């Protein structure tokens, strides 16, 4: 492995170029819908398609020349090979990342058309894809989870409470919690009129939708999902001395990021059945849109199932951003939550089974994929990669995590159908 200062400086120079080139690219900003679209759609009781098409996106121009930027990424890929060699492992990660950004730029050039969905599938995958190392599709997993989280037992649990907390309260509460976790002035929490979701993390900032209201459980989810995972990995990436690209992420890292965020919700007992069902619903919504259902049909599917009109709109709008509202294509990013959760759990179990638990904290080095981790761990051992400063408690001391996954791995081998039938007889009144 190269260990000269000159090699590391070349890595940093190329990495800094990658960080600079990607800076203006904000996928969600490029495909966002204004809040008035929701108001108009619900005012008509979901009877007509939103007035969002190719013309809408053409009147919302990108803030950069995508052709020039794509050429700059292509030049960077060539320079990486010239400076580091075609077989250099860190160079390959940077080249893969630069190549993905070129695909992103092509996707953004197709906003409002079916081609947008083609590029989205190439970048994020599709519900028809199988789980890594298994033959089960993401759609099958998503449907299984939707069924589990809608079991009658969920209705017997203590509800998360009313949305009694304002956006202003959420900002103050989360700012205090983030200062406790990261230390003062490491990141910001602020109100925003410019996002559609209730909250979003970007860089070292969590934005809170000024129109949103929250339950305390919602805020607990945001603390660990947006803060511990998304902001934590950004700050860990920014602390890298050479591999500065680990502070930013192309779509190749989305599944690991979102899956780890959902896993963190689970490990901290912050989540609740309705929240988990929303995550699973997204896979179903993407599949419906890809299979030809239009915006109204997907909306009505969730509304007729019993979801509120607002919640039905939100899950539908997420998968039609950038894609035609007439159906046949989708923004497939939302499959990443389920895919990433399953594959992260499989990775952690495998690291334990292989006797390499030290690989597990590498998930927090920055914006990584599972395939990157062996390479990055090797460079970590050589002192080229900085270990993660911000780690959730269960990743700092792996004893509890080891036991948790050990028991879950053992239980996973049982015949769950037969076990449920056994205890159903016990629980059924005679």
């Amino acid at each position: 492995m190269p260990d000269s200062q000159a090699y590391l400086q070349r890595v940093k120079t190329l990495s800094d170029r990658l960080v600079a080139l990607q800076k203006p690219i904000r996928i969600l900003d490029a495909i966002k819908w204004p809040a008035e679209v929701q108001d108009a759609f619900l005012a008509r009781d979901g009877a007509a398609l939103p007035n969002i098409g190719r013309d809408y996106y053409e009147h919302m121009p990108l803030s950069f020349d995508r052709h020039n930027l794509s050429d700059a990424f292509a030049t960077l890929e060539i320079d990486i090979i010239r400076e580091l060699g075609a077989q250099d492992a860190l160079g390959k990660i940077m080249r893969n990342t630069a190549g993905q950004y070129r695909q992103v730029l092509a996707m953004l050039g197709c906003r409002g058309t079916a081609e947008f969905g083609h590029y989205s599938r190439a970048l994020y995958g599709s519900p028809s894809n199988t789980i890594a190392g298994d033959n089960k599709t993401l759609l099958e997993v998503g449907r299984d989870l939707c069924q589990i989280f809608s079991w009658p037992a969920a209705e017997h649990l203590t509800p998360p409470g009313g949305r009694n907390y304002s956006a202003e309260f959420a900002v103050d509460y989360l700012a205090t919690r983030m200062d406790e976790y990261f230390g003062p002035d490491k990141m910001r929490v602020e109100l925003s009129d410019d996002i559609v979701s209730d909250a979003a993390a970007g860089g070292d900032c969590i934005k809170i939708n000024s129109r949103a209201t929250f339950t305390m459980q919602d805020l607990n989810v945001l603390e660990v999902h947006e803060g511990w995972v998304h902001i934590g990995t950004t700050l860990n990436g920014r602390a890298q001395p050479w591999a500065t690209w680990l502070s930013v992420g192309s779509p190749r890292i989305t599944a690991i990021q979102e899956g780890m965020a959902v896993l963190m919700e689970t490990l901290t007992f912050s989540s609740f059945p309705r929240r988990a069902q929303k995550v699973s619903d997204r896979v179903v919504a993407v599949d419906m849109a890809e299979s030809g259902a239009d915006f109204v049909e997907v909306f009505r599917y969730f509304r007729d199932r019993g979801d509120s009109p607002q919640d039905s709109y939100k899950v539908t709008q997420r998968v039609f951003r950038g894609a035609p509202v007439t159906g046949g294509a989708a923004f497939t990013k939302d499959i990443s939550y389920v895919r990433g959760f399953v594959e992260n759990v499989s990775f952690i179990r495998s690291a334990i089974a292989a006797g390499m638990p030290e690989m597990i904290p590498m998930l927090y080095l920055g914006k990584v994929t599972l395939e990157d981790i062996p390479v990055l761990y090797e460079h970590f051992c050589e002192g080229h990669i900085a270990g993660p400063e911000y780690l959730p408690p269960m990743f700092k001391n792996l004893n509890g995590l080891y036991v948790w996954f050990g028991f879950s791995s053992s239980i996973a081998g049982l015949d769950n159908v037969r076990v449920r039938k056994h205890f159903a007889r016990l629980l059924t009144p005679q």
Side-chain angles (χ1 to χ4, degrees), residues 227-299:
W228 291 14
V229 176
H230 293 328
I231 299 295
T233 51
T234 295
L235 296 181
N236 288 337
R238 288 181 179 178
Q240 294 299 327
W242 313 106
T244 55
W245 85 84
L246 290 175
S247 63
V248 298
S250 68
R252 66 192 295 272
I253 62 88
T254 301
I256 303 312
Q257 278 284 298
E258 300 298 358
M260 186 56 63
V262 174
L263 177 59
M264 192 53 54
E265 296 175 28
T266 306
L267 293 175
T268 57
F269 296 100
S270 301
S271 195
F272 47 95
R274 184 68 191 109
R275 160 66 182 170
Q277 187 179 23
K278 284 182 180 180
V279 170
S280 308
D281 283 344
R282 294 170 185 174
V283 181
V284 175
V286 170
D287 179 70
M288 290 181 68
E290 283 201 319
S291 298
D294 66 22
F295 191 99
V296 169
E297 290 169 322
V298 176
F299 167 80

Side-chain angles (χ1 to χ4, degrees), residues 202-388:
D204 56 3
C205 178
I206 297 177
K207 293 183 178 182
I208 302 296
N209 190 329
S210 59
R211 292 159 47 112
T213 54
F214 303 88
T215 69
M216 184 50 65
Q217 278 191 278
D218 291 333
L219 298 180
N220 293 337
V221 166
L222 291 175
E223 177 185 354
V224 300
H225 185 117
E226 307 291 353
W228 291 14
V229 176
H230 293 328
I231 299 295
T233 51
T234 295
L235 296 181
N236 288 337
R238 288 181 179 178
Q240 294 299 327
W242 313 106
T244 55
W245 85 84
L246 290 175
S247 63
V248 298
S250 68
R252 66 192 295 272
I253 62 88
T254 301
I256 303 312
Q257 278 284 298
E258 300 298 358
M260 186 56 63
V262 174
L263 177 59
M264 192 53 54
E265 296 175 28
T266 306
L267 293 175
T268 57
F269 296 100
S270 301
S271 195
F272 47 95
R274 184 68 191 109
R275 160 66 182 170
Q277 187 179 23
K278 284 182 180 180
V279 170
S280 308
D281 283 344
R282 294 170 185 174
V283 181
V284 175
V286 170
D287 179 70
M288 290 181 68
E290 283 201 319
S291 298
D294 66 22
F295 191 99
V296 169
E297 290 169 322
V298 176
F299 167 80
R300 287 178 176 171
Y301 170 83
F302 291 105
R303 187 196 61 184
D304 294 348
R305 190 187 67 179
D307 295 357
S308 71
Q310 291 77 15
D311 285 345
S312 301
Y313 175 88
K314 284 180 180 178
V315 68
T316 305
Q317 186 263 348
R318 291 178 65 98
V319 305
F320 279 94
R321 292 174 290 182
V325 295
T326 50
F331 182 45
T332 61
K333 172 183 177 288
D334 273 356
I335 69 170
S336 302
Y337 297 80
V338 169
R339 174 188 160 198
F341 178 86
V342 174
E343 293 184 356
N344 281 332
V345 168
S346 298
F347 173 81
I348 293 172
R349 281 178 172 171
S350 299
I352 290 172
M356 301 186 72
E358 62 273 16
M359 288 281 197
I360 298 172
M362 299 296 106
L363 289 162
Y364 279 87
L365 284 174
K367 309 301 184 182
V368 303
T369 72
L370 296 180
E371 291 75 17
D372 296 342
I373 287 178
V375 171
L376 296 173
Y377 180 70
E378 189 176 0
H379 281 271
F380 165 75
C381 293
E382 293 290 327
H384 304 162
I385 298 288

